Amino acid sequence: MEPTGNQPDEVTRAALDTVSRAVDLADRQDSQRRPRGIRGRISRRMRRRAERRKGVRRLSVAVSGAARRGAHVTGRGVSAGGRWLSARVLAMAPRIPVRDLETLRAQFPGRSPDELAQALTDGASRASAAVGVAVGAWAVLPFVPAAGVEITTETLAVVGIEIKLVAELHEVYGQAVPGSVVDRMTAYVGAWAQRRGVALVPGGLVLAAGSPLARQLQRRLAARAGRSILSLGPLLTGAAAGGIINRRETRKLGRILGDDLRKRSPWAGGWPA
């Protein structure tokens, strides 16, 4: 189903719901404080494993239901072509919740810009890994819709998590993009595709069809969709592969963006007085 008006289509809504659930799962894991002593560490580890298993099961059920709806709406699955995915990413981006600097500093008190950037990267890595595990675990269930729906759901969800990370890293290093929500998030989509911070220029950033940046976005999305296929491996090997690859790629993105933004940050040495 194609988007109508300002409403995202079924697959895009499924991806946004997956982003929300995966980020919430990662945040809950991060909020658990490290207890002292050997018994405390063992107990914490067991609680975290149990919580992670429950969270992944809930996420898997949510993704399964979303993909069923997407398969039903499309009738024969979805196309994972570059232009099709690009259109959905651009439709999804303005709806991704992004925390501003004040909110981030309140949520992670006492951390320097670099420590906060690392915490955000770690959280996004856990979230994207959870998506890969959930999709891989769901792939062994009796209901298996068209593979295109599975691949697209994971691809859009992980890209959404990473775009959220890109936007919040810009906040951390004092380089938030001005303008409307659509303008800002379109710029962050470009940063995700280019693997570097947004370069603010007069006239803003436009992702026009056929432009070099649009083509780069399509190539990035095609590569991301290709990695998502690994989550559909036999039994639970896909879940393991999907989780590991997603975590590694998201962490790599956070490191590259963080290094680039740090060089241009007005407060790389610490927060302004």
Side-chain angles (χ1 to χ4, degrees):
M1 180 176 69
E2 292 299 317
T4 57
N6 293 323
Q7 297 302 315
D9 65 10
E10 196 74 33
V11 177
T12 306
R13 285 198 295 270
L16 284 165
D17 182 59
T18 303
V19 170
S20 176
R21 291 173 182 269
V23 169
D24 180 65
L25 173 60
D27 286 346
R28 288 202 306 273
Q29 293 175 1
D30 184 68
S31 65
Q32 297 176 1
R33 301 300 180 185
R34 187 181 301 275
R36 296 179 180 178
I38 295 177
R39 290 185 178 179
R41 287 196 295 270
I42 294 175
S43 175
R44 173 178 175 269
R45 185 175 302 172
M46 292 177 65
R47 286 198 305 271
R48 287 189 64 180
R49 286 180 178 176
E51 178 68 22
R52 186 164 55 247
R53 284 196 296 269
K54 289 191 295 185
V56 168
R57 283 198 298 269
R58 288 194 294 267
L59 184 59
S60 181
V61 170
V63 173
S64 174
R68 290 187 193 194
R69 294 193 302 272
H72 173 71
V73 169
T74 59
R76 60 180 182 278
V78 297
S79 167
R83 290 187 179 182
W84 194 94
L85 279 173
S86 295
R88 271 123 194 102
V89 168
L90 292 172
M92 173 179 67
R95 296 175 170 85
I96 297 172
V98 175
R99 295 165 289 189
D100 61 17
L101 180 59
E102 182 179 358
T103 302
L104 289 169
R105 292 188 66 182
Q107 187 172 346
F108 299 90
R111 304 200 190 192
S112 68
D114 288 346
E115 290 171 340
L116 179 49
Q118 185 61 55
L120 294 177
T121 299
D122 290 344
S125 300
R126 288 193 298 271
S128 63
V131 172
V133 171
V135 172
W138 161 53
V140 304
L141 296 177
F143 173 84
V144 181
V149 178
E150 304 177 42
I151 295 168
T152 303
T153 301
E154 180 184 359
T155 299
L156 290 177
V158 173
V159 171
I161 290 167
E162 293 182 346
I163 291 172
K164 176 181 174 69
L165 172 62
V166 168
E168 292 179 350
L169 287 177
H170 279 77
E171 291 282 342
V172 168
Y173 285 112
Q175 296 178 67
V177 175
S180 68
V181 173
V182 173
D183 291 340
R184 293 197 305 272
M185 297 310 294
T186 300
Y188 294 137
V189 169
W192 177 86
Q194 293 182 314
R195 296 302 193 258
R196 62 172 180 265
V198 175
L200 299 179
V201 296
L205 175 68
V206 178
L207 282 174
S211 70
L213 184 53
R215 289 194 293 270
Q216 188 170 20
L217 173 61
Q218 292 173 17
R219 288 195 296 270
R220 291 286 187 192
L221 288 170
R224 174 61 257 181
R227 288 192 291 270
S228 293
I229 294 174
L230 296 177
S231 294
L232 306 181
L235 296 179
L236 292 177
T237 59
I244 292 171
I245 291 173
N246 286 359
R247 182 188 296 271
R248 183 189 67 196
E249 292 298 319
T250 301
R251 182 174 292 149
K252 180 180 177 181
L253 172 68
R255 184 180 67 252
I256 292 173
L257 261 293
D259 290 345
D260 182 56
L261 292 169
R262 187 183 302 110
K263 297 174 184 176
R264 297 184 274 124
S265 174
W267 51 64
W271 302 114

